[in-house]
Amino acid sequence: MDTAFTEEQEQMRRTVRELLARRCGPAAVRAAVLTPAGYDTALWHTLARQLGLPGLALPEAYGGIGCGTLELALAFEEAGRALLPSPLLPTAVLAAPLIATLGSPEQRALLLPRLASGELTAALAVPGSALAPALGLTGSGHGWAGGGRAGGVQASYRTGGAQEGWRLYGEADQVLGGHSAGLLLVAAHTGGFTRSRTLLFLVDCADGAADGLVRTRQTALDETRAVARVQLRDVNATLLGESNDDMCSALATAGPRVAAVLAAEAVGAADGALTRTVEYVKTREQFGRPIGSFQAVRHRLADVYVQLQAARSAAYYAAWAADRPAGLSAGEAATAGGLALAQGLEALRPAAAEAVQLHGGVGFTWEHEAHLYFKRAAGDELLFGPVHRLRARAAERAALFGAGEGERGGEREGEAVAV
């Protein structure tokens, strides 16, 4: 692994950071989350059309830039630093790579250019709070979809007449960006008991295109990550791709890239919180001197800094490993991603807590931005963690306590589908 970034990578990072510094300050973030979309649509179009962030890791043949996971991670590190509310994560990291890998040629040609340009946003809907298990971050990637009386979303194929095709019925909670996305990628259970499997379906959310679709934005701990409840009541859907094979392994194979990007985003948020705290302790005075001159305060911030740098190194390695360079197995990439995400979340938590504590009385107020970082830390761990489960899953993959669950065979099988 070459640990030095290229000039193009550094330039991209600087460009994103400068733009967000100008247009995504704390006041802009608070204003954006209160809009119906949950983000600044003008800023989204700038990020999409001028910087090409939604298509950063998509193939050039479909309007993307053709970069790798590392470039995507660098962009998300800057987004995390500013706590950017946007559909970038559900569109560019969760939905678009699955469409690019699993979609039919017609679906890729129709959808990917619109996703890359930012014209179309997308969201991945899985039942309940199963996003982390479905991606193989805190589970094996199987057994999360429900079915029958277990809830989730059910799919059935209707034959005959004008209504012929796939229909979806059920509900998915905590869908990132689901209330405003123009396209839903829904994981649904089908096949009954004998041929039970999970398939992925496309649902067009344009006005009048999906009768029976009800989307409700939910109150979230972290307002910068809009989540929605998606209810499907006999909704018309299109099967993603041309295969009726179970898609659980394909979703789990997407996990390493998602984990690496989320780890980089957590590192950026931790860095943003730490930078603001360091600047504040230089100016806040107690007993006639800046509190940053006290040894106890220095030690606390030094501990946060060490955790942050370790997490940053882990995130960069995971992003490099997610693209599966020669000699690296799928299991090793997944282990690196899970551990990097655990380390990133673990670095963000104390950085946000120290930001609240060391800002004193003002750090506890609604008007100050410290609570936004604290809520991001808590919200991310609820959505993608907890940390101990991420580490436990990594230990299972590495067979630290024995390989008695067929783990290695599952990884070999999952290597056939790469996202």
Side-chain angles (χ1 to χ4, degrees), residues 17-389:
R17 180 180 299 186
E18 291 169 1
L19 176 62
L20 295 182
R22 291 195 310 270
R23 299 183 54 180
C24 194
V29 170
R30 289 195 187 91
V33 299
L34 296 177
T35 62
Y39 60 92
D40 183 346
T41 54
L43 177 57
W44 167 248
H45 290 314
T46 300
L47 293 171
R49 296 170 183 172
Q50 296 184 15
L51 302 186
L53 294 191
L56 194 61
L58 290 178
E60 294 182 64
Y62 297 107
I65 299 178
C67 294
T69 306
L70 185 56
E71 287 79 10
L72 198 60
L74 291 176
F76 268 85
E77 184 178 354
E78 299 308 319
R81 187 189 309 278
L83 298 180
L84 170 70
S86 80
L88 189 60
L89 175 64
T91 298
V93 180
L94 297 178
L98 289 168
I99 296 172
T101 303
L102 304 172
S104 66
E106 294 78 11
Q107 290 170 340
R108 293 197 295 266
L110 176 65
L111 298 175
L112 291 182
R114 298 176 63 200
L115 291 170
S117 67
E119 173 193 349
L120 178 67
T121 60
L124 174 64
V126 296
S129 56
L131 181 59
L135 294 171
L137 302 180
T138 58
S140 64
H142 295 271
W144 51 267
R149 296 181 180 179
V153 181
Q154 310 298 314
S156 60
Y157 192 84
R158 187 173 298 172
T159 59
Q163 296 294 321
E164 182 169 356
W166 286 99
R167 314 292 291 188
L168 303 182
Y169 194 96
E171 181 177 299
D173 289 324
Q174 299 182 12
V175 179
L176 290 170
H179 71 292
S180 61
L183 178 72
L184 288 179
L185 184 58
V186 183
H189 179 267
T190 188
F193 180 78
T194 56
R195 296 190 60 202
S196 175
R197 61 196 186 281
T198 299
L199 302 178
L200 293 174
F201 295 90
L202 298 169
V203 176
D204 185 358
C205 300
D207 292 340
D211 293 336
L213 175 65
V214 178
R215 301 186 290 171
T216 307
R217 184 176 178 182
Q218 296 177 296
T219 301
L221 174 64
D222 177 15
E223 291 181 307
T224 64
R225 284 206 198 282
V227 296
R229 174 184 291 115
V230 175
Q231 296 172 305
L232 304 114
R233 301 165 182 170
D234 199 31
V235 173
N236 184 44
T238 303
L239 181 67
L240 179 66
E242 301 170 339
S243 172
N244 284 322
D245 294 337
D246 187 88
M247 291 294 176
C248 286
S249 295
L251 278 168
T253 306
R257 167 177 281 193
V258 176
V261 170
L262 289 172
E265 189 184 48
V267 165
D271 199 1
L274 178 60
T275 300
R276 293 175 187 274
T277 306
V278 170
E279 292 299 320
Y280 183 74
V281 299
K282 291 178 181 178
T283 58
R284 179 189 171 194
E285 292 191 358
Q286 192 78 27
F287 307 111
R289 55 188 288 194
I291 64 171
S293 64
F294 297 139
Q295 191 175 45
V297 173
R298 289 184 176 186
H299 284 175
R300 289 165 65 173
L301 293 178
D303 288 341
V304 173
Y305 179 78
V306 170
Q307 274 189 288
L308 170 61
Q309 294 304 322
R312 175 175 281 125
S313 296
Y316 290 165
Y317 175 76
W320 172 80
D323 288 332
R324 299 283 305 280
L328 203 67
S329 70
E332 290 168 331
T335 300
L339 289 176
L341 179 54
Q343 204 160 351
L345 295 178
E346 206 164 47
L348 176 55
R349 190 192 313 142
E354 293 293 1
V356 173
Q357 179 71 23
L358 293 178
H359 275 85
V362 70
F364 287 85
T365 62
W366 187 259
E367 292 75 16
H368 198 271
E369 63 268 19
H371 73 92
L372 297 176
Y373 288 96
F374 189 84
K375 290 176 179 177
R376 171 60 67 90
D380 273 10
E381 193 154 352
L382 289 172
L383 281 171
F384 310 117
V387 167
H388 71 271
R389 288 189 179 175

